[in-house]
Amino acid sequence: MNKLFFCLILILSFSAQAEIVERIVAIVNSELVLESDIRAMQNTLKKPELIDDSLLLGKTADSLKGNRKAQLDYLINERLIESEIKRLNLSVTADRIEQELKDKAKANNISVADLLSAIKGQGIAEKEYRRFLKERIEKQSLMDTEIVSRLRISDDDALGEYLRQNPNSKSSINEFSVAHIFFNPRKGGPQAAYERAQTVIEKLRTGDNFEALAEQYSEDPNFTAGGNLGSFKTGEFLPEIENSIQSLAEGDTTQVVKSKMGYHIVKLLGKKITTDPRFEREKDRIKAVLLEASFKRQLKVWLEGKKDDSFIRINE
C-alpha cells in the first residue's frame, strides 16, 4: 500500500475519533466550544465561586445546572469575550497573576502559600484557580475599556433613587443657626418661668439687645455667649423650637416657646438650604448599586452587539 495513502487513512481515522471525543458544539469567530467544555462547565457549577456572575446576565449559577442551553449560552459569551481580549491584546502575563495572588494574600494578612492552601481546601486546584484569576483580570480589563469607562452615575441619579425609596424624604433641608434665652420651670414653677419669659419679651419689644438680655436672664445651665445654641438641621433639634422658627427671617425672634425642658425665646441667627444628611450617608451606596445595575444592562447590550457582529455557529 502506498505509504502516503496509508498515512492519510491514519490521519482521517484519528480525526474521526477526535470528532467523537471532542465534538465541536459551537464556533465563535475563531474560538471553539467543545463537548468537553460543556462537561467542564458542569463541573465548575459545583464550585460557584469560579463562575463569573456578570456573565449570568441576571440569572443564578444554580439556574445553569441541568440546563445545557443556558450553559452553552454562558460559554458562547465567554468565547465572545476571549475573542475581544485577543483582538485588543489584553492578555495578562504569569507575573501579573502572581502579583494578584500576592495582593489577595496581603489583603487577608496571610501568605500566598496559605491562600493557595485555603483555595485547595475548597476543592479548587491551584492551576484551576490561577486560570480563573487570569480570565477574571482579562475580563475586567476588557469591561473597564468597553463598558465601565462609559458609565456615568451622577449625584442627581442617586438622589432620584433615594427619593424613590424614601418618598417622604426631601432632597434638601434647612440648616439653622439659633440662639435662645431659657427660663427654667424648676425655679419657682412653670407659671413663674413663663412670666419671667414674658418680661424679657417686653424688653425685646422696646428694643433691648437680645444678646445682652440672654447674658442677664437666661437660665440655661450650659449657657454660651449670646445664648448661642449653634447650628442644626431639620429633624435634629427640639420640634417645638424648629416649628417656631420655620417662618422667621434672619435676626427675628419668636414669642415664648414651651418645650419639655421649659420656656424659650429663640432668635434665628442664620438659615440656609443644605442636602439631607440622610441622603449624604446613603449616596455612595446608592451610586454603587445603580452603577452595578447599569453595568449589567450595558454588558447585555454589548454582548448582543458582539453576537450580531460575530460569526457564531451552533452544532446542536
Side-chain angles (χ1 to χ4, degrees):
M1 182 181 291
N2 183 287
K3 185 179 292 187
L4 178 61
F5 179 73
F6 179 72
C7 290
L8 182 60
I9 287 190
L10 284 177
I11 291 171
L12 291 173
S13 174
F14 177 79
S15 298
Q17 293 176 23
E19 174 69 15
I20 294 172
V21 176
E22 289 291 352
R23 187 172 74 86
I24 297 174
V25 178
I27 303 172
V28 182
N29 295 325
S30 61
E31 308 294 327
L32 301 180
V33 178
L34 305 174
E35 187 64 40
S36 59
D37 293 324
I38 297 285
R39 293 195 297 271
M41 176 75 188
Q42 292 165 350
N43 288 329
T44 301
L45 287 171
K46 299 174 185 177
K47 308 166 187 175
E49 59 271 22
L50 296 181
I51 295 294
D52 186 344
D53 289 342
S54 65
L55 293 184
L56 293 173
L57 301 179
K59 299 177 182 177
T60 63
D62 284 343
S63 71
L64 270 62
K65 293 178 180 178
N67 188 336
R68 183 181 174 88
K69 181 181 183 304
Q71 293 167 13
L72 181 55
D73 287 343
Y74 180 96
L75 290 171
I76 287 173
N77 287 337
E78 270 198 333
R79 297 302 184 270
L80 285 169
I81 287 175
E82 288 169 11
S83 180
E84 285 298 298
I85 287 170
K86 290 179 180 178
R87 186 180 71 82
L88 297 173
N89 195 29
L90 296 175
S91 298
V92 299
T93 63
D95 288 343
R96 175 68 181 84
I97 298 165
E98 193 65 33
Q99 186 59 52
E100 182 72 8
L101 282 169
K102 290 178 181 178
D103 291 343
K104 281 185 169 294
K106 184 177 180 180
N108 288 280
N109 295 314
I110 57 176
S111 67
V112 171
D114 288 339
L115 174 64
L116 292 174
S117 178
I119 294 297
K120 185 177 180 181
Q122 297 177 32
I124 302 171
E126 178 180 338
K127 183 178 180 180
E128 187 178 20
Y129 186 64
R130 286 178 179 273
R131 183 173 65 251
F132 166 75
L133 284 181
K134 179 179 186 297
E135 292 173 353
R136 195 187 70 173
I137 295 168
E138 290 171 344
K139 286 176 186 174
Q140 187 60 56
S141 180
L142 176 65
M143 294 300 102
D144 287 346
T145 301
E146 294 287 291
I147 299 177
V148 175
S149 62
R150 302 174 187 177
L151 297 179
R152 297 290 182 272
I153 303 297
S154 67
D155 286 358
D156 286 343
D157 295 328
L159 179 57
E161 179 63 16
Y162 173 76
L163 294 176
R164 188 189 68 78
Q165 295 177 9
N166 303 275
N168 294 325
S169 296
K170 297 179 180 179
S171 59
S172 59
I173 59 174
N174 292 318
E175 181 176 309
F176 304 99
S177 297
V178 297
H180 80 154
I181 305 173
F182 177 64
F183 304 90
N184 195 335
R186 293 183 179 180
K187 295 184 177 181
Q191 183 60 34
Y194 176 76
E195 290 174 359
R196 293 195 299 275
Q198 285 290 66
T199 299
V200 173
I201 285 286
E202 292 300 323
K203 292 180 179 293
L204 284 169
R205 285 175 180 166
T206 60
D208 283 16
N209 179 269
F210 180 93
E211 288 71 21
L213 291 172
E215 295 277 354
Q216 184 176 356
Y217 291 102
S218 184
E219 298 163 4
D220 185 346
N222 300 312
F223 180 79
T224 57
N228 198 321
L229 289 172
S231 298
F232 64 90
K233 297 179 177 66
T234 300
E236 294 181 345
F237 204 49
L238 294 171
E240 299 91 348
I241 291 181
E242 282 194 34
N243 292 336
S244 71
I245 62 176
Q246 289 293 334
S247 60
L248 292 184
E250 289 186 19
D252 286 351
T253 58
T254 64
Q255 296 298 312
V256 178
V257 178
K258 182 181 179 182
S259 76
K260 61 183 179 181
M261 298 172 61
Y263 295 94
H264 314 255
I265 301 170
V266 184
K267 181 176 181 178
L268 180 61
L269 303 177
K271 178 179 178 180
K272 64 180 180 179
I273 303 297
T274 187
T275 306
D276 187 337
R278 289 166 294 187
F279 166 65
E280 287 297 323
R281 290 193 294 269
E282 290 288 301
K283 182 173 69 176
D284 289 344
R285 180 191 64 80
I286 293 172
K287 290 180 78 169
V289 170
L290 291 177
L291 185 64
E292 182 180 1
S294 180
F295 169 76
K296 288 179 179 178
R297 288 194 302 271
Q298 293 305 314
L299 174 59
K300 188 173 183 179
V301 170
W302 184 86
L303 284 169
E304 291 301 322
K306 291 302 173 185
K307 286 179 181 178
D308 290 341
D309 296 337
S310 300
F311 171 78
I312 300 176
R313 177 180 171 183
I314 299 175
N315 302 320
E316 287 283 73

